[in-house]
Amino acid sequence: PASTPATVPKPEGEGGQFSNNQKIAMGLGAAAVVAASVTALGVGGGYLIYNHHETSKQNESPTKLHVNIISASNLVAADHGKSSDPYVIVKAGACGAKTKTIKKNLNPQWNETFEFGVLPEQLSSGFLEFEVNDKDFFHDDDIGKAKLPLSSIARGSAKKHQIKLEGVDHGELTVSLHITG
């Protein structure tokens, strides 16, 4: 069957302008195009971030990395009120996830769990990366980073890690990690 070409909306308002409803529909269409290439799935208040093309092979791996972002302590105050609105981005290869933001807290408790596929070559040379950020209206502030070799993560049973944040004067992230499969 022949495919029909996409039609471009024609302005229907006065003076050849698009109506507000047409502008909203076009904006939603653009958002759908973006959502088709990058997906964010809700998981316990946070969400997974991944690009379908780059991560399909990684996520199909029977080997899984289980990440529980438990808490942080003694974070740097990035806001004027001597506080921060922290969240964590965790990345393993092409896969990533983001926790929910906790308002005005230097010792946040997330207890959010994520699962990523891991390829065999990543186990020997890959890293698990953490970025702790302060949520702001215009530009989020970096309030610490950490990196662990995937080869150092326990297989089978979960193991708790307390990781000192780098790039800042103080702050620590508590996570529980393990690999299965």
Side-chain angles (χ1 to χ4, degrees):
S3 62
T4 54
T7 58
V8 176
K10 303 242 187 290
E12 62 183 36
E14 292 186 34
Q17 299 294 314
F18 288 106
S19 72
N20 283 339
N21 286 341
Q22 284 179 311
K23 289 177 187 174
I24 291 168
M26 287 187 289
L28 291 174
V33 168
V34 170
S37 63
V38 177
T39 302
L41 299 174
V43 177
Y47 56 86
L48 297 175
I49 307 165
Y50 62 92
N51 179 307
H52 284 294
H53 179 70
E54 294 177 17
T55 61
S56 61
K57 182 179 175 188
Q58 184 176 333
N59 278 334
E60 289 171 8
S61 172
T63 304
K64 301 296 182 190
L65 169 62
H66 304 268
V67 179
N68 181 4
I69 300 176
I70 299 170
S71 63
S73 59
N74 198 25
L75 292 177
V76 171
D79 294 337
H80 294 295
K82 296 185 180 164
S83 188
S84 287
D85 304 319
Y87 65 91
V88 178
I89 294 174
V90 57
K91 297 176 189 172
C95 295
K98 178 190 171 295
T99 66
K100 65 185 174 221
T101 299
I102 298 184
K103 300 278 188 192
K104 300 183 186 312
N105 198 323
L106 299 179
N107 299 291
Q109 303 280 323
W110 288 283
N111 201 29
E112 292 185 45
T113 300
F114 303 99
E115 179 183 281
F116 307 114
V118 181
L119 299 172
E121 59 270 20
Q122 291 174 310
L123 288 173
S124 59
S125 61
F127 288 89
L128 181 61
E129 300 175 58
F130 300 93
E131 298 173 17
V132 182
N133 295 300
D134 168 54
K135 181 75 178 161
D136 284 326
F137 190 71
F138 291 111
H139 178 71
D140 295 354
D141 299 312
D142 174 7
I143 55 173
K145 295 182 184 205
K147 190 187 250 192
L148 283 177
L150 290 175
S151 60
S152 71
I153 298 173
R155 285 191 165 266
S157 299
K159 182 180 176 198
K160 191 183 273 189
H161 298 260
Q162 292 187 287
I163 309 165
K164 183 179 178 349
L165 295 174
E166 299 172 2
V168 288
D169 292 337
H170 50 82
E172 190 172 85
L173 189 61
T174 303
V175 298
S176 177
L177 308 170
H178 70 286
I179 294 174
T180 59

